Amino acid sequence: MMPDTADFDDAPAGADSDTGYYYLRLYVAGHTGRSIAAMNNLRRVCETHLAGRYEIEVIDLLQNPRLAAGDQILAVPTLVRRLPTPLKRIIGDLSNTERVLVGLDIRQKADVP
């Protein structure tokens, strides 16, 4: 059986993997300390390294538990990079910036030639 591939039909119009655009989903469970920390940490990383090239969709699994199956969410908070492909996941509060950058394949500004 082949692994479940991401369905990008719900990605923003005009977004594709060749433009450097990042479509991110953050799965949380309520407004816990870890969920809030993950949201704040993700916004900080995105504003610093992806300004103007990203969209974040926050999904609260307490309100919509069925949505966990689509991206195979087993723990929260979990960040899913849906674009650019391939799909990637990071679990945790996203407080380790270097780990988030590596996990999302984002080069730090100092690394850019």
Side-chain angles (χ1 to χ4, degrees):
M1 186 168 132
M2 296 195 58
D4 184 28
T5 57
D7 178 7
F8 297 108
D9 292 339
D10 55 352
D16 64 49
S17 61
D18 296 331
T19 63
Y21 181 86
Y22 284 74
Y23 181 58
L24 308 168
R25 280 190 178 167
L26 179 63
Y27 289 88
V28 297
H31 293 285
T32 65
R34 284 179 52 92
S35 295
I36 293 167
M39 286 186 269
N40 292 335
N41 291 332
L42 179 58
R43 285 192 179 101
R44 178 182 44 79
V45 167
C46 287
E47 278 304 309
T48 302
H49 299 279
L50 298 173
R53 299 185 299 129
Y54 72 94
E55 181 176 335
I56 300 170
E57 179 181 8
V58 178
I59 297 175
D60 186 342
L61 295 177
L62 292 181
Q63 295 176 359
N64 297 304
R66 298 181 324 274
L67 296 178
D71 281 326
Q72 300 174 355
I73 303 303
L74 302 174
V76 287
T78 295
L79 175 64
V80 177
R81 183 186 82 179
R82 297 190 53 116
L83 287 177
T85 57
L87 184 129
K88 295 196 173 221
R89 291 178 189 82
I90 302 172
I91 298 171
D93 67 5
L94 310 175
S95 60
N96 184 329
T97 301
E98 183 176 334
R99 182 175 164 243
V100 173
L101 293 174
V102 169
L104 295 177
D105 287 335
I106 299 171
R107 296 175 128 197
Q108 291 194 34
K109 287 186 176 182
D111 294 342
V112 177

